[in-house]
Amino acid sequence: MAIDDLLDEHEQSERVRSWLRSNGAAVIGGVVIALAAILGWQWWQKHSHNQLAEANARYEGVLGGIQSNNLEKAAKDMAGLEQGRTGIYTDLAALRLAKAQVEAGKSEDAIKTLRGVKASGEFQLLIDQRLARLLVDAGKPDEALKLLASAEDNISLEIRGDALIAQGKRDQARDLYAKSLATLDVAAPQRRLVEMKLMDAGGVVPDPAEPI
């Protein structure tokens, strides 16, 4: 090997050592950060998996309690789901448990179950609607109206109308039933029920071809 080649290699190695002395700490820091990120991601995946497994077990516990008519056990498992903030598991379990409680004649327990759920989006609206119906039936129409005060979908409008009927406010209820009917398709299965409520409130069912 020529002297010039040896000098070039020596010069290159010196440059590498010099670069490492200047940047070594940053390189090591980057490696540490990368390792921490990998380990953190692995921990989070394991943690999430464990949470989902526990949520699934509690959800199955709720269903098992319902199926065996042990609603107290189902309610305890439901409470565990709520504390764990397990999303869709909590929402579905709450709806199933509340339905079973109503069928068992325990409407107040069903109201308590649905009040404890903090869902999001469409699921929260569905839970609020179920809760509002129970509140109307329980003689608490004012609470039902407050719960659905800003909801303008056809189901919520119908429930708000029911609450106003319970308060003796037929004229206001009639307006809400009419608005609910206006948003329903002619072939919608619940249309006939809303029409009957509108007529009972003193309204006239319009021709579907005409605007309300």
Side-chain angles (χ1 to χ4, degrees), residues 26-193:
V27 171
I28 293 172
V31 171
V32 170
I33 292 173
L35 287 174
I38 292 171
L39 292 174
W41 173 247
Q42 291 176 341
W43 175 86
W44 174 250
Q45 284 186 313
K46 183 177 179 181
H47 177 69
S48 298
H49 176 75
N50 291 339
Q51 276 193 320
L52 287 174
E54 182 179 352
N56 183 66
R58 289 189 179 277
Y59 176 70
E60 292 297 331
V62 174
L63 297 187
I66 292 172
Q67 291 168 358
S68 63
N69 292 321
N70 189 346
L71 298 185
E72 290 186 5
K73 177 184 180 301
K76 288 181 180 179
D77 285 314
M78 183 70 228
L81 279 171
E82 291 171 348
Q83 292 173 359
R85 298 179 181 179
T86 49
I88 190 67
Y89 282 107
T90 304
D91 304 339
L92 292 174
L95 291 171
R96 294 287 296 273
L97 177 57
K99 182 176 183 292
Q101 289 168 328
V102 170
E103 291 173 348
K106 299 180 178 180
S107 294
E108 287 298 327
D109 287 346
I111 289 173
K112 181 179 179 181
T113 295
L114 295 178
R115 283 192 193 278
V117 179
K118 303 300 179 185
S120 59
E122 292 300 317
F123 250 113
Q124 185 61 57
L125 177 59
L126 176 60
I127 288 170
D128 287 346
Q129 289 169 346
R130 296 283 180 89
L131 177 55
R133 287 191 190 278
L134 291 176
L135 289 170
V136 172
D137 292 340
K140 302 175 182 178
D142 53 331
E143 293 185 38
L145 286 169
K146 183 178 180 180
L147 189 64
L148 297 178
S150 61
E152 293 292 328
D153 62 284
N154 66 282
I155 295 176
S156 296
L157 289 169
E158 178 191 347
I159 298 171
R160 287 166 59 190
D162 294 345
L164 288 169
I165 287 292
Q167 291 181 333
K169 301 176 180 178
R170 289 167 54 84
D171 291 344
Q172 295 180 45
R174 184 168 61 245
D175 292 340
L176 289 181
Y177 288 143
K179 287 178 66 177
S180 175
L181 199 60
T183 65
L184 282 171
D185 186 85
V186 176
Q190 68 269 39
R191 184 179 178 87
R192 180 56 182 161
L193 177 60

